[in-house]
């Protein structure tokens, strides 16, 4: 039975002079397993969005014969998660279908088990690794039980084990009679399919069986490189010139919320070499790279290097915020004092090395590029910094075969020019390009004596310098701590506590918190406020909040409380008995009373919020609100929409904090925020607001797409 029919479909983006798709015609039968292939920018993702009914065709016709809109898993995993809790996110789609509570729970358990995330069911979605987030996004669409499933590069961020597990799920879904449309750059994934549709510059250049595609050498070689990744062959000269240590890591340790992620990690890097790092998704590779680049401070250990390494972030799009591609690449060199002709040549060389020809891409809009092109642009921005030690986090993720070999060859070329290159990958064939291979499981949880040996004479000669975190990187840790306080906790390990507050039902917890908070905001007399402050102290005592937890909250907000307290006191400086006066400055008894009043109110609010956040999961808060608003649903007020908005807020705020963190990381790496001091920090920080606003708009649009994909209306 025919499910999909496209006839002479064309599509062009607004303000674009060329078609993204031109004269596309094909049909899809029920139960087919189709691979859509093509180089970066060929129109694959655009076609996927048309098939999923996100775009209307510019011309031509598109018919869905069974009227069921296909399910789609997008290329960027973080932007399609709609809830802050893992199991709530998977359940969101079935809830929109109006299924029974038992059916929703059954689908949620089944789909999370299929993607190996059942152990994370009660975790917060923003705590997952990128690979885990991709699997969660797949589970969320799978829970809709769509008859047509569109997958847009869903395995790009997965390690081999996770990739195989996900592909097994896809195969099982197809065997049940469901149609799969898989957009991929992976040759092995093409072989799993029955049919291949190949695109080139928005046009179909092949439509046939996978066997015929593999035998059509001319077409195959347009999409996949006929050459394997070349193996680097060492020469006698290599042994002599590449024995100088450029970076040394000794017994590095790092914890996330007291959970050890990196423990006694040790290794060395050699000048003029490429080193590949492999490890499972979420093991800590990205965190290690951020520590090496000075974006995070290790708990213990020592890092020494010729100079501070620079890092190309894994989430490439988050590192881009200039309007045009050429300007984005030039951002770092300009901060480092490169000007005029030298700047132009640096940008040209960097873009050409990254596989984005300067003449074709310099004036292209940054956010109009495809996912693969954005990744190459982020690599060009790092290459343009021209540093001795360069780190690339998953540099080939989402790239087509030829672009992948081009990027790996570029890493090899940079090393041959004397640079030290470290990159992470999930593909074992990519380590062929490297001089050394570091396996995470072998270098982590080991002592220095088990690490890669180094030449002590060379190290002394190189005079490696200790590498410390950027002084301004403290802003990143402050953002993270602020987020942990503003977010309601989902730390399920505390659920077995015997304290009275922990045992309260969700509704009573919410009522207690709301009552204390409202009183703190509206009480206007000092005596009742004193009683309220004492009540909040007792509340936090019953919650067993550690002094450290409250101290962190107080440390973050106290400077602002003092500033606004002084401002409020200044308003009352001309009222009451004058206690002290000097020129235009004066202190009155009324002003002091107002300052004390403001401080007591603020401390009550902080205690109240911290106590509630410490003892309540986001799931409990949402359940409490549902019960509280249930009477409104009886009179046909759409309470569910308010609940959904609440869930989206819990998801969207951490997303914006992540976006701001990525902007700060980029500014630190590329030099615009790494050296400023004093009041200049404030003025530089204000420059973050424009890219954050642009990214917020883009995130909101993508979130709207994610809601649509989950059948929310």
């Amino acid at each position: 039975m025919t499910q999909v029919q496209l006839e002479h479909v064309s599509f062009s983006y607004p303000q674009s002079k060329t078609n993204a798709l031109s004269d596309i015609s094909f049909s899809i039968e029920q139960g087919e397993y189709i691979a859509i292939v093509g180089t970066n920018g060929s129109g694959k993702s655009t076609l996927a969005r048309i098939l999923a009914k996100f775009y209307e065709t510019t011309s031509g016709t598109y018919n869905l014969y069974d009227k069921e809109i296909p399910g789609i898993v997008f290329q960027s995993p973080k932007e399609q998660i709609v809830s802050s809790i893992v199991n709530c996110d998977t359940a969101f789609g079935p809830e929109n279908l109006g299924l029974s509570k038992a059916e929703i729970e059954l689908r949620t358990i089944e789909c999370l088990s299929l993607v190996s995330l059942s152990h994370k069911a009660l975790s917060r979605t923003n705590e997952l690794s990128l690979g885990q987030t991709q699997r969660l996004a797949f589970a969320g669409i799978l829970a809709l039980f769509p008859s047509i499933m569109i997958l847009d590069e869903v395995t790009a961020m997965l390690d081999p084990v996770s990739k195989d597990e996900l592909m097994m799920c896809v195969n099982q879904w197809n065997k049940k009679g469901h149609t799969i449309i898989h957009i991929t750059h992976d040759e092995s994934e093409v072989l799993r399919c029955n049919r291949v549709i190949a695109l080139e510059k928005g046009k179909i250049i092949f439509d046939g069986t996978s066997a015929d595609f593999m035998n059509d050498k001319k077409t195959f070689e347009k999409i996949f490189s006929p050459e394997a990744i070349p193996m680097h062959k060492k020469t006698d000269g290599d042994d002599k010139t590449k024995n100088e240590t450029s970076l040394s890591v000794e017994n590095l340790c790092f914890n996330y919320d007291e959970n050890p992620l990196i423990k006694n990690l040790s290794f060395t890097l050699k000048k003029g070499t490429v080193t590949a790092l492999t490890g499972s998704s979420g093991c800590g590779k990205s965190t290690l790279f951020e520590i090496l680049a000075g974006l995070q401070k290790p708990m213990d250990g020592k890092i020494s290097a010729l100079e501070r390494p620079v890092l190309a972030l894994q989430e490439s799009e988050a590192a881009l915020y200039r309007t045009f591609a050429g300007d984005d690449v030039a951002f770092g060199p300009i901060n480092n004092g490169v000007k005029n002709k030298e700047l132009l040549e640096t940008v040209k060389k960097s873009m050409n090395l990254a596989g984005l020809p300067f003449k074709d891409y310099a004036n292209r809009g940054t956010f109009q590029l495809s996912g693969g092109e954005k990744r190459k642009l982020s690599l060009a921005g790092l290459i343009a910094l021209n540093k001795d030690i360069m780190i690339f986090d998953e540099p080939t993720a989402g790239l087509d075969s030829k672009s992948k070999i081009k990027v790996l060859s570029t890493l090899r070329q940079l090393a041959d020019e004397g640079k030290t290159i470290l990159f992470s990958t999930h593909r074992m064939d990519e380590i062929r390009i490297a001089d050394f291979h570091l396996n995470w499981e072998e270098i982590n949880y080991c002592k220095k004596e088990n690490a890669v040996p180094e030449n002590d004479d060379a190290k002394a000669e190189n005079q490696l310098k200790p590498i410390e975190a950027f002084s301004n990187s403290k802003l990143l840790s402050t953002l993270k701590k602020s987020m942990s306080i503003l977010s309601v906790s989902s730390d399920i390990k505390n659920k077995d506590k015997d304290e009275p507050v922990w045992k309260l039902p969700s509704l009573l917890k919410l009522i207690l918190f709301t009552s204390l908070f409202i009183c703190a905001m509206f009480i206007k007399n000092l005596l009742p406020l004193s009683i309220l402050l004492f009540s909040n102290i007792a509340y936090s005592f019953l919650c067993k909040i550690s002094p450290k937890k409250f101290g962190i909250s107080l440390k973050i907000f106290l400077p602002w409380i003092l500033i606004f307290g002084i401002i409020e006191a200044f308003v009352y400086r001309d009222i009451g008995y004058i206690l002290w006066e000097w020129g235009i400055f004066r202190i009155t008894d009324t002003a002091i009373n107002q300052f004390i009043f403001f401080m007591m109110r603020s401390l009550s609010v902080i205690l109240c919020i911290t106590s509630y956040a410490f003892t309540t999961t986001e799931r409990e808060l949402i359940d409490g609100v549902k019960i509280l608003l249930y009477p409104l649903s009886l009179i046909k007020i759409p309470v569910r929409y308010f609940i959904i908005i609440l869930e989206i807020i819990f998801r969207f705020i951490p997303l914006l904090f992540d976006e701001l963190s990525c902007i700060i990381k980029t500014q630190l790496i590329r030099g615009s925020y790494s050296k400023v001091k004093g009041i200049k920090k404030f003025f530089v920080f204000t420059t973050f607001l424009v890219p954050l606003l642009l990214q917020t708009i883009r995130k909101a649009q993508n979130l709207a797409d994610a809601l649509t994909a989950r059948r929310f209306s």
Side-chain angles (χ1 to χ4, degrees):
M1 184 185 78
T2 301
Q3 286 184 299
V4 172
Q5 180 76 50
L6 285 85
E7 294 182 357
H8 307 293
V9 166
S10 295
F11 178 83
S12 61
Y13 288 96
Q15 301 178 342
S16 176
K17 297 179 181 178
T18 59
N19 283 341
L21 295 173
S22 299
D23 197 28
I24 301 292
S25 297
F26 63 84
S27 61
I28 298 175
E29 302 297 315
Q30 183 176 355
E32 283 197 273
Y33 193 161
I34 301 172
I36 297 180
V37 298
T39 57
N40 294 124
S42 60
K44 302 185 300 300
S45 293
T46 301
L47 177 58
R49 285 178 172 264
I50 286 177
L51 291 172
K53 288 288 188 178
F54 282 90
Y55 297 158
E56 293 292 331
T57 61
T58 304
S59 63
T61 59
Y62 169 37
N63 293 315
L64 275 170
Y65 288 102
D66 58 5
K67 304 304 179 184
E68 182 185 344
I69 298 175
I72 181 169
V73 183
F74 300 119
Q75 198 169 13
S76 302
K78 282 192 174 182
E79 295 177 353
Q80 54 197 303
I81 306 302
V82 299
S83 183
S84 57
I85 304 297
V86 169
N87 62 356
C88 296
D89 185 81
T90 305
F92 183 76
E95 287 174 351
N96 293 328
L97 297 178
L99 302 177
S100 66
K101 187 175 181 180
E103 177 66 16
I104 291 170
E105 186 175 348
L106 183 62
R107 288 194 183 192
T108 300
I109 294 171
E110 181 182 355
C111 293
L112 287 177
S113 297
L114 280 171
V115 298
S116 302
L117 282 178
S118 55
H119 66 293
K120 292 283 187 178
L122 298 176
S123 298
R124 294 178 62 198
T125 52
N126 67 310
E127 294 172 348
L128 301 179
S129 70
L130 205 57
Q132 290 170 329
T133 305
Q134 184 64 283
R135 281 183 277 157
L136 177 62
F138 178 78
I141 298 299
L142 190 64
L144 296 168
F145 284 14
S147 62
I148 304 173
M149 174 79 83
I150 302 171
L151 309 175
D152 190 357
E153 284 292 325
V154 294
T155 62
M157 297 295 179
L158 300 183
D159 60 73
V161 174
S162 299
K163 172 185 168 183
D164 289 342
E165 290 176 350
L166 186 56
M167 293 311 300
M168 285 179 63
C169 297
V170 173
N171 288 337
Q172 290 173 8
W173 193 248
N174 178 244
K175 287 178 180 178
K176 292 180 179 180
H178 302 291
T179 303
I180 304 293
I181 303 172
H182 190 179
I183 296 169
T184 180
H185 292 303
D186 193 311
E187 187 178 332
S188 65
E189 292 174 6
V190 173
L191 292 173
R192 294 174 179 263
C193 302
N194 309 118
R195 177 181 170 192
V196 177
I197 296 175
L199 297 180
E200 182 181 44
K201 296 181 179 179
K203 296 181 179 181
I204 293 178
I205 59 172
F206 180 90
D207 185 354
T209 66
S210 56
D212 288 342
F213 176 72
M214 302 300 286
N215 292 327
D216 187 343
K217 291 186 178 180
K218 182 179 179 181
T219 305
F220 179 83
E221 291 179 5
K222 283 184 177 181
I223 310 299
F224 297 101
S225 175
E227 303 175 0
I229 296 172
M231 179 177 288
H232 176 60
K233 297 180 180 180
K234 295 183 180 181
T235 66
D236 294 339
D238 289 333
D239 295 333
K240 182 177 180 180
T241 60
K242 297 179 180 178
N243 63 352
E244 297 181 1
T245 299
S246 58
L247 183 143
S248 173
V249 176
E250 301 179 26
N251 300 328
L252 196 69
C253 297
F254 185 84
N255 298 342
Y256 267 132
D257 299 325
E258 300 181 359
N259 296 317
L261 183 69
I262 301 174
K263 186 175 181 181
N264 295 326
L265 185 146
S266 300
F267 65 90
T268 59
L269 301 180
K270 303 295 182 180
K271 187 176 182 180
T273 65
V274 177
T275 301
L277 174 63
T278 59
S280 60
S281 298
C283 67
K285 300 187 298 298
S286 296
T287 301
L288 169 65
F289 286 174
E290 290 189 4
I291 292 172
L292 296 180
L295 301 177
Q296 296 202 55
K297 185 178 180 179
M299 308 300 180
D300 197 8
K302 180 181 178 182
I303 303 172
S304 304
L306 293 173
E307 65 175 5
R308 185 189 303 279
V310 290
L311 168 65
L313 299 171
Q314 186 182 70
E315 297 177 65
S316 55
E317 190 164 336
L320 308 174
Y321 48 84
R322 287 291 187 255
T323 305
F324 297 102
D327 293 338
D328 201 274
V329 176
F331 178 70
I334 290 174
N335 290 327
N336 292 334
V338 181
K339 300 178 181 178
N340 304 326
K341 186 177 180 180
E342 183 184 358
L343 176 63
L344 180 61
E345 291 303 315
T346 298
V347 173
K348 280 184 178 180
K349 178 183 177 182
S350 301
M351 293 186 71
N352 292 336
L353 276 173
L356 289 177
F358 177 82
K359 63 178 182 179
D360 298 326
Y361 286 91
N363 294 318
R364 290 273 297 273
T366 301
F367 297 106
Q368 294 176 352
L369 301 177
S370 70
E373 289 168 340
K374 288 175 182 175
R375 181 163 295 278
K376 287 189 275 189
L377 183 62
S378 71
L379 301 180
L382 188 82
I383 294 170
L385 296 174
N386 194 30
K387 297 296 182 179
D388 287 336
I389 305 174
M390 299 182 178
I391 303 174
F392 299 86
D393 197 355
E394 296 284 350
T396 62
L399 297 184
D400 60 66
S401 177
K402 292 183 178 180
S403 296
K404 197 173 293 184
I405 291 179
K406 169 63 178 175
V407 167
L408 293 172
S409 298
T410 296
L411 301 187
R412 182 73 263 162
Q413 181 179 339
L414 291 169
D416 292 341
E417 292 174 0
K419 310 292 187 186
T420 301
I421 306 298
L422 173 63
F423 77 100
S424 62
T425 180
H426 288 309
R427 296 180 59 94
M428 297 308 293
D429 58 338
E430 293 184 3
I431 68 175
R432 293 163 57 92
I433 204 75
D435 300 276
F436 301 103
H437 171 214
L438 297 176
N439 184 292
W440 182 266
E441 284 71 24
E442 294 176 0
I443 63 172
N444 201 18
Y445 292 90
C446 71
K447 289 293 185 180
K448 178 62 181 175
E449 55 265 22
N450 297 325
V452 178
E454 63 180 75
N455 186 313
D456 292 333
D457 294 335
K459 181 178 178 180
E461 181 181 343
N462 289 335
Q463 296 180 341
L464 302 185
K465 300 176 292 185
I467 300 298
E468 304 290 342
F470 287 110
S471 59
N472 289 342
S473 68
K474 293 179 181 178
L475 181 57
L476 293 170
S477 59
T478 301
L479 279 175
K480 185 177 179 182
K481 290 175 182 176
S482 300
M483 191 64 252
S484 68
I485 292 169
L486 292 175
S487 298
V488 179
S489 173
S490 64
D491 190 1
I492 305 303
K493 67 184 180 182
N494 290 323
K495 288 299 295 174
D496 295 330
K497 284 185 176 287
D498 294 326
E499 283 70 35
V501 178
W502 286 87
K503 292 183 176 182
L504 290 176
S506 303
L507 180 60
L508 289 182
K509 283 186 184 180
L510 182 60
I511 292 174
L512 175 61
F513 161 72
T514 305
S515 301
L516 291 172
F517 184 82
I518 291 175
C519 289
M521 296 301 295
F522 292 102
I523 287 178
K524 295 183 178 181
N525 295 317
L526 196 58
L527 180 59
L529 188 59
S530 301
I531 296 172
L532 180 68
L533 179 58
F534 177 79
S535 300
N536 274 297
I537 292 173
Y539 179 33
S540 64
F541 178 78
L542 290 173
C543 295
K544 298 293 183 182
I545 297 180
S546 66
K548 181 180 179 181
K549 177 85 174 177
F550 179 69
I552 291 173
S553 304
L554 198 60
K555 182 180 178 182
I556 292 172
F557 294 109
L558 187 59
W560 299 101
I561 293 172
L562 288 171
I563 290 171
F564 286 111
I566 292 170
I567 291 173
E568 178 149 340
F570 186 79
V571 173
Y572 292 90
R573 71 189 187 95
D574 295 325
I575 301 174
Y577 180 74
I578 299 175
L579 301 175
W580 178 84
E581 186 174 15
W582 181 66
I584 62 172
F585 300 102
R586 64 177 58 174
I587 296 176
T588 66
D589 60 340
T590 304
I592 290 178
N593 288 336
Q594 286 300 125
F595 178 79
I596 294 172
F597 191 84
F598 182 84
M599 294 296 293
M600 291 175 64
R601 185 196 299 276
S602 300
L603 288 174
S604 294
V605 169
I606 291 176
L607 277 167
C608 177
I609 293 175
T610 304
S611 300
Y612 184 69
F614 184 67
T615 58
T616 310
T617 67
E618 290 172 11
R619 182 71 267 168
E620 286 180 317
L621 187 150
I622 292 170
D623 289 343
V625 172
K626 283 182 180 178
I627 297 171
L628 192 64
L629 299 180
Y630 178 72
L632 298 179
S633 66
L634 298 177
I635 56 175
K636 306 302 181 182
I637 294 178
V639 171
R640 182 169 180 269
Y641 291 106
F642 178 80
I643 301 298
I644 289 172
I645 290 171
L646 188 62
E647 289 181 316
I648 291 173
I649 289 172
F650 281 138
R651 171 61 188 157
F652 200 69
I653 290 177
L655 211 59
L656 292 184
F657 268 75
D658 285 345
E659 201 65 44
L660 180 57
S661 294
C662 286
I663 292 172
I664 294 171
K665 289 173 186 176
T666 303
Q667 297 262 12
L668 286 168
I669 292 168
R670 297 193 184 183
S672 65
Y673 190 62
S674 58
K675 300 174 183 178
V676 294
K677 298 179 180 179
I679 192 65
K680 290 183 179 179
K681 287 185 183 180
F682 174 78
F683 292 110
V684 173
F685 187 77
T686 58
T687 64
F688 299 170
L689 300 180
V690 173
L692 180 61
L693 177 62
L694 294 175
Q695 293 288 50
T696 300
I697 295 171
R698 187 180 63 81
K699 293 285 185 187
Q701 292 172 338
N702 291 335
L703 183 60
D705 287 346
L707 291 172
T708 302
R710 303 289 187 91
R711 308 291 191 267
F712 175 73
S713 59

